[in-house]
Amino acid sequence: MGDVRKLAVSFVAPGPCGVAVRDRLKHLTARDERVLRAVGAHQGALASGDLKARCADGLEHGADTWASRKRELTGVSSSRIAGAITKATHDQWALARRCQAAHIQNLAAGIKTLRHRLSLPIGEKGTKRTAGGYRSKCEWFRKSRRLAALEARHTAAVTDRQAGRVRVVRGGKRLLNTRHHLAEAELTEAEWRQRWEAERWFLAADGESGKRFGNETIRVTPNGEVSIKLPAPLAHLANARHGRYILSARIGFAHRGAEWADRIEANRAVAYRIHLDTGRGRWYLTASWQRPVVQTIPLETARARGMIGVDTNADHFAAYRLDRHGNPVGDPHRFGYDLSGTAGHRDAQIRHALTRLINWAVRVGVAAIGIEDLDFTPEKTREKHGRRKRFRQLISGMPTGKLKARLVSMAAEPGLSIVAVDPAYTSMWGAQHWQKPLTTPHRRMSRHDAAGIAIGRRALGHPVRRRTTPPPHDRSDRAGHRTVQAAPGTRGREGTRPPTTDRPPEGPSPSGMRKREPSASNTVRDAPSTQQWVQDSLMRTG
């Protein structure tokens, strides 16, 4: 066990700090749609120009350049619209910088692996932790060429980062590349153009506390009336006072509608975004606001009522309930999902599986769910796993980042806490110590089910192993108890155990034959005890 890496400490994941709800803008007239398209195109052009200016500033950006850009936008829109555009620009530039840093890190990991494998003799075997040499001279030559290509990409990316250059596409790089593959995407040029323009529109407004209904640019009243403050060049399209346009649609949020209504009636900030789903031809309005940061509960409090350990797999969640002493309770539960198909289908599958998991956790009365703190970012490089394409596809298809964020936000509503644990050795040790002991003729245990027990025990602070090494027989009194289930301070840990309720009845056996009585012992040590002993729930190990 000397080569086992040090495990990270388990922690309670912080809860969500924001809320977003969406509703459809129904029964829009043709004039409403023309106004929305005109406003979105006008403000989208301003956002594109502002992003270009921000990218040109690079690392020389400061408060003065920000104020200068905002003043220029105010003259052709309004001060609030200019503030929303510049803020969105800075968020997009910062996201591009983070993606650039991750790309450089990924390239560096690939280069390190290639250099190591190229330095080894051809055909040399690898170990469990490090890859070996390449199989043939031909493969060695191809990988040497790939090393040169990766080093060139890495040098160019580092140069761009040091100069403050980023690659940003308003509307999305994927949709831009779809323009060259319209047949594969089953789109016409007109359909692609419509989708491209809609993605580049800007119809959003940040909230402002103290203002009427929490937003001056896009205002939604408690009865669902939606009005937009038009930019200066489009003020002639207004149908209400003060350059506002009132839509004919009415909004009524079915989800969190009461919370949203409480905020706008108190004039607290609510941000809005209007967008067009070109595939369905529908307009939607999204409302979002921030919640006060809630202090996470202590780890001991989350462990008080037991834990549900969840093992994340490519097609299902394997969950097992454990009591606060680390004992498995009941049978394993599996919540399946299908990650094939479109992004919307995958997201719906994950959401449905998490909903069933959370509902089960609420029914059994636990206070927390233990889950692995997975991050496959350094594992996805093709240089580390070589020809194992199916394994690379497997870990690339698991939405670990989105899964953790969605689970934390969904579990916060019923009051469940999420305990993140180190994922090291959970599958291996779970299968080694729990899969076989819990397998019965009526219960089939998989490796994933056993891993769920290992995750839950680690979240509860217990070791994964069921038992410690038994003490020598001649020193059992001095060596102490052999189990690690109950803590030393647990009441009744070493006390007399109560009798069982399922003890076989006394008297003759069902076959009518008399049971044999135990024979008398010749020594005091071997004399049978007349006291009935059963296994206590706190001492249970399997």
Side-chain angles (χ1 to χ4, degrees):
M1 300 292 289
D3 58 344
V4 175
R5 71 173 179 85
K6 185 178 181 180
L7 302 179
V9 180
S10 303
F11 62 93
V12 180
C17 59
V19 175
V21 293
R22 189 181 71 169
D23 195 14
R24 181 184 171 188
L25 292 170
K26 298 180 180 180
H27 310 300
L28 291 175
T29 63
R31 183 185 178 188
D32 293 339
E33 294 197 14
R34 286 197 301 269
V35 171
L36 290 176
R37 292 175 182 272
V39 174
H42 174 75
Q43 295 181 169
L46 298 180
S48 298
D50 185 67
L51 180 60
K52 179 180 178 181
R54 176 64 186 90
C55 293
D57 291 341
L59 300 178
E60 303 299 327
H61 166 72
D64 295 337
T65 57
W66 191 346
S68 176
R69 295 192 346 256
K70 186 175 179 180
R71 283 194 300 268
E72 294 178 0
L73 292 174
T74 302
V76 292
S77 56
S78 68
S79 61
R80 290 185 176 87
I81 295 176
I85 290 176
T86 53
K87 182 179 180 299
T89 295
H90 283 279
D91 292 342
Q92 195 168 9
W93 190 87
L95 176 61
R97 286 281 289 182
R98 293 195 298 270
C99 293
Q100 188 181 56
H103 178 59
I104 292 175
Q105 183 180 3
N106 190 32
L107 289 175
I111 291 172
K112 180 180 178 181
T113 303
L114 282 172
R115 287 176 177 172
H116 168 72
R117 299 191 68 181
L118 289 172
S119 65
L120 299 177
I122 295 176
E124 181 172 332
K125 295 288 185 179
T127 63
K128 197 170 184 179
R129 296 184 179 273
T130 59
Y134 290 108
R135 300 182 181 182
S136 62
K137 292 183 178 180
C138 181
E139 186 179 8
W140 189 97
F141 174 76
R142 292 198 305 269
K143 292 300 182 179
S144 65
R145 300 291 293 174
R146 177 164 175 78
L147 174 62
L150 291 185
E151 288 176 339
R153 296 181 195 172
H154 184 267
T155 302
V158 171
T159 303
D160 286 344
R161 184 166 183 81
Q162 292 175 350
R165 289 191 296 268
V166 296
R167 315 296 181 184
V168 184
V169 179
R170 287 201 72 249
K173 180 180 178 181
R174 179 174 299 179
L175 183 57
L176 177 64
N177 291 335
T178 305
R179 174 64 181 84
H180 307 289
H181 307 280
L182 296 178
E184 291 82 351
E186 298 181 354
L187 292 173
T188 64
E189 183 176 351
E191 292 173 343
W192 176 89
R193 178 65 60 182
Q194 182 183 12
R195 184 177 300 183
W196 173 252
E197 292 176 352
E199 290 294 331
R200 291 169 62 86
W201 289 344
F202 189 89
L203 276 168
D206 297 332
E208 188 175 358
S209 295
K211 297 300 180 181
R212 189 180 181 188
F213 302 129
N215 200 310
E216 282 288 328
T217 305
I218 300 178
R219 181 183 297 165
V220 184
T221 63
N223 61 3
E225 181 184 270
V226 182
S227 63
I228 303 173
K229 175 67 175 179
L230 299 178
L234 301 177
H236 62 280
L237 299 176
N239 62 358
R241 298 174 57 188
H242 309 298
R244 304 192 69 86
Y245 186 88
I246 301 177
L247 300 176
S248 58
R250 290 294 183 267
I251 285 292
F253 295 105
H255 182 56
R256 301 184 188 276
E259 185 178 353
W260 165 79
D262 292 341
R263 289 192 66 89
I264 64 172
E265 289 178 357
N267 295 331
R268 299 172 65 187
V270 179
Y272 295 104
R273 174 177 174 263
I274 300 176
H275 69 281
L276 170 64
D277 187 340
T278 55
R280 298 181 177 181
R282 299 175 179 178
W283 292 86
Y284 293 92
L285 184 140
T286 303
S288 58
W289 58 89
Q290 289 185 344
R291 283 180 169 178
V293 179
V294 180
Q295 188 70 24
T296 57
I297 65 174
L299 189 57
E300 289 71 17
T301 305
R303 294 168 172 171
R305 290 185 289 166
M307 188 80 59
I308 288 181
V310 180
D311 181 46
T312 305
N313 301 285
D315 58 352
H316 73 281
F317 296 129
Y320 220 121
R321 179 191 172 194
L322 291 84
D323 63 17
R324 63 189 182 94
H325 304 291
N327 299 312
V329 179
D331 293 326
H333 285 67
R334 299 179 183 89
F335 305 94
Y337 47 81
D338 181 15
L339 296 183
S340 61
T342 63
H345 176 265
R346 296 194 299 269
D347 185 69
Q349 289 282 309
I350 291 292
R351 187 169 59 249
H352 182 54
L354 290 179
T355 300
R356 290 184 290 148
L357 170 64
I358 292 172
N359 291 340
W360 176 55
V362 172
R363 286 197 305 271
V364 298
V366 299
I369 297 176
I371 192 169
E372 294 172 303
D373 190 14
L374 293 173
D375 184 12
F376 290 130
T377 302
E379 307 292 333
K380 295 180 182 179
T381 172
R382 58 186 285 192
E383 312 307 332
K384 181 172 183 179
H385 300 290
R387 293 183 173 89
R388 300 171 63 186
K389 292 184 179 180
R390 296 194 65 179
F391 180 75
R392 285 192 282 120
Q393 292 174 355
L394 177 66
I395 60 178
S396 297
M398 295 176 64
T400 54
K402 182 181 294 186
L403 172 64
K404 288 185 290 186
R406 186 172 292 279
L407 178 58
V408 168
S409 62
M410 294 176 65
E413 295 307 312
L416 294 175
S417 300
I418 303 300
V419 179
V421 303
D422 194 311
Y425 313 113
T426 53
S427 297
M428 181 176 64
W429 290 350
Q432 179 181 354
H433 299 293
W434 291 98
Q435 185 175 4
K436 184 177 179 180
L438 290 181
T439 301
T440 66
H442 303 287
R443 178 199 292 143
R444 297 183 60 185
M445 288 287 296
S446 68
R447 184 183 180 93
H448 305 302
D449 300 328
I453 298 176
I455 294 167
R457 288 181 61 86
R458 187 169 290 174
L460 287 167
H462 299 303
V464 175
R465 292 190 63 178
R466 298 172 54 244
R467 290 173 177 260
T468 57
T469 303
H473 294 289
D474 62 328
R475 292 187 298 145
S476 58
D477 294 335
R478 291 187 288 113
H481 203 275
R482 65 178 278 163
T483 65
V484 292
Q485 297 297 99
T490 303
R491 298 183 62 181
R493 179 177 183 268
E494 299 292 347
T496 303
R497 302 177 182 131
T500 60
T501 58
D502 55 351
R503 189 172 51 192
E506 299 180 357
S509 61
S511 60
M513 299 179 63
R514 185 178 61 85
K515 294 183 179 178
R516 179 182 178 183
E517 297 293 339
S519 59
S521 174
N522 296 326
T523 64
V524 176
R525 181 180 182 90
D526 296 333
S529 174
T530 60
Q531 186 176 5
Q532 297 292 334
W533 292 90
V534 298
Q535 188 167 350
D536 185 74
S537 62
L538 298 181
M539 312 296 291
R540 190 170 53 196
T541 61

